[in-house]
Amino acid sequence: RDRAVAADDAARRLWSILSGMIELAELEAASAIEKHPMDLNLIVEAVVKGRHAEAERHGVALEHTSDASIPVIFADERHLSRAIDAVILNAIQYTLTGGRISVRTQRAGESVCVEVTDTGIGIKPDDLPRIFDRFFRADPSRSTETGGAGLGLSLAKAILEAHGGSISVQSELGAGSTFKLLVPLGA
């Protein structure tokens, strides 16, 4: 029975890696994005609600603040949700028990911004240029069982770039990180 459980866990991890690689390939071919009008606040709210249980298991407070003045944007809801989810999950995994994660939407000129700020362990300055690379993990001691495959942030970057947007990070080791996901307004 233990072997069957271990095999099932390994298969799930492998499927996660493969599906992430397939999605990255589709995004690079620009065939995966289908933009429709959507309310960014509702998307972010749904993603945050979906990660509350995970945050609670890690002993992390997860809060969301919406800017009601954000206009409707044109984006691929499924992919944009996945990008936001990847950044929030990353924050949960790298924030210690008792920490906080704040997710905020706001307008930023001709774009909208989803800002994810955590009180986590932060990122070493030497690692910042590589944080969005495929399979890169800032903490190599974390296994795929506890830290994922290192595809989440690279997938988030590919999704935002496919939308004509961008993702950036500011971090201080031991003091946390702030990720900014920008999506342009307009069709």
Side-chain angles (χ1 to χ4, degrees):
R1 181 179 175 171
D2 290 342
R3 287 183 193 154
V5 169
D8 184 58
D9 289 344
R12 288 177 195 273
R13 285 191 304 276
L14 182 57
W15 176 249
S16 175
I17 293 168
L18 288 174
S19 63
M21 293 299 296
I22 290 168
E23 190 165 2
L24 281 168
E26 288 173 346
L27 288 165
E28 287 172 354
S31 63
I33 299 295
E34 293 183 26
K35 294 181 180 180
H36 301 284
M38 59 175 266
D39 183 333
L40 180 66
N41 286 325
L42 292 178
I43 301 306
V44 173
E45 183 179 323
V47 173
V48 169
K49 281 183 181 176
R51 285 295 174 190
H52 264 291
E54 181 89 12
E56 286 178 3
R57 279 195 298 278
H58 280 80
V60 174
L62 177 58
E63 55 194 35
H64 172 231
T65 307
S66 297
D67 179 351
S69 69
I70 291 177
V72 169
I73 64 169
F74 288 83
D76 184 309
E77 182 177 337
R78 181 177 66 89
H79 283 98
L80 192 56
S81 294
R82 179 139 185 202
I84 295 164
D85 184 63
V87 174
I88 292 172
L89 179 58
N90 188 74
I92 292 169
Q93 291 173 336
Y94 288 96
T95 300
L96 302 175
T97 300
R100 298 191 82 70
I101 299 168
S102 172
V103 181
R104 183 171 69 139
T105 57
Q106 60 191 353
R107 187 160 181 173
E110 293 302 310
S111 297
V112 291
C113 178
V114 178
E115 186 176 275
V116 180
T117 302
D118 65 59
T119 59
I121 62 173
I123 304 164
K124 294 177 193 171
D126 293 344
D127 289 340
L128 280 172
R130 300 174 44 217
I131 200 73
F132 298 107
D133 292 351
R134 292 179 188 180
F135 302 110
F136 178 77
R137 282 192 235 136
D139 183 356
S141 67
R142 292 168 59 100
S143 70
T144 55
E145 292 172 16
T146 59
L151 285 175
L153 293 179
S154 62
L155 186 58
K157 180 182 179 193
I159 290 168
L160 288 158
E161 287 177 350
H163 280 84
S166 63
I167 184 170
S168 62
V169 61
Q170 292 180 315
S171 185
E172 184 178 334
L173 196 58
S177 304
T178 297
F179 286 82
K180 291 185 179 183
L181 293 72
L182 292 172
V183 180
L185 292 170

